[in-house]
Amino acid sequence: MKIAIYSTKYYEREYLDFYNKTAKHQMTYFEIPLNTETVATVKDFEAVCIQLTDKLDTNVIHQIAKAGVKYIALRSAGYDNVDIETAAKHKMKVLRIPAYSPEAIAEHAVALILTLNRKTHKAYNRVRENNFLLQNLMGFNLFGKTIGVVGTGKIGTAFCNIMLGFGCKIIATDLMESKELKDKGVQYVSFDTLLEQSDIISVHCPLNSKTKYLFNTAAFSKVKKGMMLINTSRGAILNTADVIQALKKAQLGYLGIDVYEGEEQLFFKDLSNVVVLDDQIERLMSFNNVLITPHQAFFTKEALHAIARITIENFNSFEDSEVTKNQVVFVLPKSL
Ligand code: NAD
């Protein structure tokens, strides 16, 4: 099958090529994203393969359908960047990767916690300059601390399992309680109780209308003063302006984020030679108790293997008639 792969990063190609050795699809790589401006590049392809940075709105879907595209494969779990209803109208099959390596993201959340707490990044720089003082390097034991987990799906579960190993008390909030986690001692509590009791909160729920700005001034007024907040989920679950105020008041003692509200304009780009106009990220970076990583939580060899393997499996199953667990099916809202 002839497939156009958009938003290709240099690190992905070798993994995709590796898993395509036997499948032998004709894959054309584009570094550009697929959107209204670039849709003219879709010519003679039966399928497009995209990332979250590509925007397949109504117009783009109409145009790629006209160009002969029948299949869309997402190299991500999320698909909010694809107009599923319009794709369904054009009878296009949409496949995604529901899970690739929840441990990769969970382990990165733990890396953020340990770095912020034990200040290994500061020690690394200091020791390289022959400064062996301990001043300002003091941390705290994780053993016995209360960890609040917002969202105990695949990643939240992997995170809980790691933190249980540290001897932490885990409290969690989710729309559905996990029996597996409850059996291991995780206690489900209300969001307010989680805010009030946690020493560290880690966010693992999806971004939607209910979770947008879940962490705002009202939430920060309920937390333990000086607590640590970790977000590896989606930037807009935190209200960045409110986060900055909470940091200024020391209500938030530490912040570790792998995702950021305005990341579309910044992440996955080298901006070291230009003026960054985003004042909020610049302000965040000015706090010495804030650690920002550029959406790299997924970035492990194991996750890249899984993404490439499942992507090629999805290509192979494009023409299958049965609905697989990877297929995104458009369901009409109940009221209609
Ligand atoms: P998942 O669907 O397995 O789990 C999400 C959980 O959140 C579910 O149990 C759901 O019931 C729960 N939830 C939904 N609304 C909630 C609410 N209002 N309050 C509390 N819990 C709620 O998803 P997952 O695979 O664990 O992924 C979680 C999120 O991680 C994704 O939505 C994505 O935003 C993010 N993610 C980040 C990276 C990265 O590299 N940083 C990579 C992959 C995924």
Side-chain angles (χ1 to χ4, degrees):
M1 190 171 291
K2 287 177 88 175
I3 303 162
I5 306 188
Y6 285 88
S7 296
T8 319
K9 298 280 181 295
Y10 69 93
Y11 52 77
E12 287 181 294
R13 288 183 63 150
E14 62 174 302
Y15 289 89
L16 287 164
D17 289 341
F18 175 80
Y19 285 100
N20 191 39
K21 266 184 197 155
T22 43
K24 293 190 169 43
H25 295 290
Q26 291 179 52
M27 305 194 303
T28 304
Y29 292 108
F30 292 93
E31 284 179 20
I32 50 166
L34 177 55
N35 54 35
T36 309
E37 279 93 58
T38 62
V39 69
T41 55
V42 182
K43 275 186 202 141
D44 295 332
F45 295 108
E46 295 159 273
V48 292
C49 177
I50 59 162
Q51 267 288 13
L52 282 175
T53 37
D54 303 284
K55 292 270 171 288
L56 273 65
D57 57 15
T58 315
N59 169 44
V60 171
I61 304 244
H62 282 320
Q63 294 202 51
I64 63 172
K66 225 190 262 175
V69 169
K70 297 202 242 13
Y71 309 102
I72 299 169
L74 286 130
R75 305 199 293 294
S76 62
Y79 51 86
D80 43 287
N81 53 330
V82 179
D83 180 346
I84 298 298
E85 186 173 356
T86 309
K89 277 184 195 150
H90 285 288
K91 297 194 168 40
M92 280 181 188
K93 190 169 181 178
V94 182
L95 294 172
R96 67 182 180 122
I97 303 178
Y100 41 90
S101 181
E103 292 77 18
I105 294 95
E107 289 173 16
H108 191 76
V110 179
L112 294 176
I113 293 173
L114 288 171
T115 308
L116 279 168
N117 175 17
R118 305 309 296 265
K119 304 172 179 62
T120 43
H121 57 311
K122 290 185 185 171
Y124 173 82
N125 287 321
R126 189 183 286 188
V127 168
R128 286 166 70 90
E129 290 183 6
N130 296 326
N131 176 350
F132 300 99
L133 287 172
L134 293 183
Q135 256 88 342
N136 301 321
L137 293 184
M138 191 187 288
F140 59 85
N141 284 7
L142 290 177
F143 180 82
K145 292 292 181 297
T146 300
I147 313 293
V149 182
V150 181
T152 52
K154 292 177 283 296
I155 297 170
T157 296
F159 177 78
C160 287
N161 285 328
I162 300 171
M163 299 317 287
L164 284 168
F166 275 100
C168 297
K169 175 184 173 189
I170 314 274
I171 56 175
T173 175
D174 198 309
L175 311 177
M176 286 176 305
E177 299 186 356
S178 154
K179 183 176 176 313
E180 177 202 333
L181 289 178
K182 277 165 84 169
D183 288 348
K184 290 178 179 172
V186 173
Q187 292 170 24
Y188 282 90
V189 296
S190 67
F191 182 57
D192 277 0
T193 304
L194 182 130
L195 292 174
E196 284 157 17
Q197 294 187 359
S198 302
D199 299 298
I200 300 172
I201 294 178
S202 193
V203 182
H204 300 291
C205 63
L207 172 65
N208 56 40
S209 56
K210 296 251 162 57
T211 60
K212 185 168 183 197
Y213 292 164
L214 189 62
F215 286 86
N216 54 18
T217 299
F220 292 128
S221 70
K222 294 176 188 152
V223 300
K224 274 191 189 177
K225 195 168 173 73
M227 56 82 70
M228 183 188 293
L229 178 61
I230 302 293
N231 185 13
T232 54
S233 195
R234 285 289 179 266
I237 297 172
L238 274 50
N239 180 318
T240 311
D242 292 359
V243 165
I244 290 169
Q245 290 311 314
L247 283 163
K248 284 166 90 171
K249 290 183 193 144
Q251 196 65 12
L252 254 183
Y254 312 79
L255 175 74
I257 53 173
D258 185 52
V259 286
Y260 168 66
E261 250 192 297
E263 70 176 60
E264 249 182 75
Q265 306 304 320
L266 306 168
F267 287 8
F268 308 121
K269 294 177 185 148
D270 178 2
L271 304 178
S272 54
N273 227 5
V274 298
V275 177
V276 172
L277 298 174
D278 184 325
D279 290 345
Q280 285 193 324
I281 197 148
E282 295 300 314
R283 183 67 182 101
L284 282 178
M285 286 191 293
S286 74
F287 293 99
N288 62 12
N289 52 355
V290 171
L291 177 58
I292 303 172
T293 53
H295 209 137
Q296 70 180 79
F298 75 98
F299 198 48
T300 66
K301 282 181 191 166
E302 291 78 3
L304 289 182
H305 267 292
I307 292 169
R309 178 177 50 75
I310 301 166
T311 297
I312 301 296
E313 283 169 7
N314 281 345
F315 294 169
N316 295 346
S317 72
F318 271 151
E319 285 167 340
D320 295 354
S321 50
E322 78 271 17
V323 176
T324 65
K325 66 175 181 0
N326 296 358
Q327 191 165 342
V328 183
V329 182
F330 174 70
V331 183
L332 271 177
K334 277 200 180 107
S335 55
L336 297 178

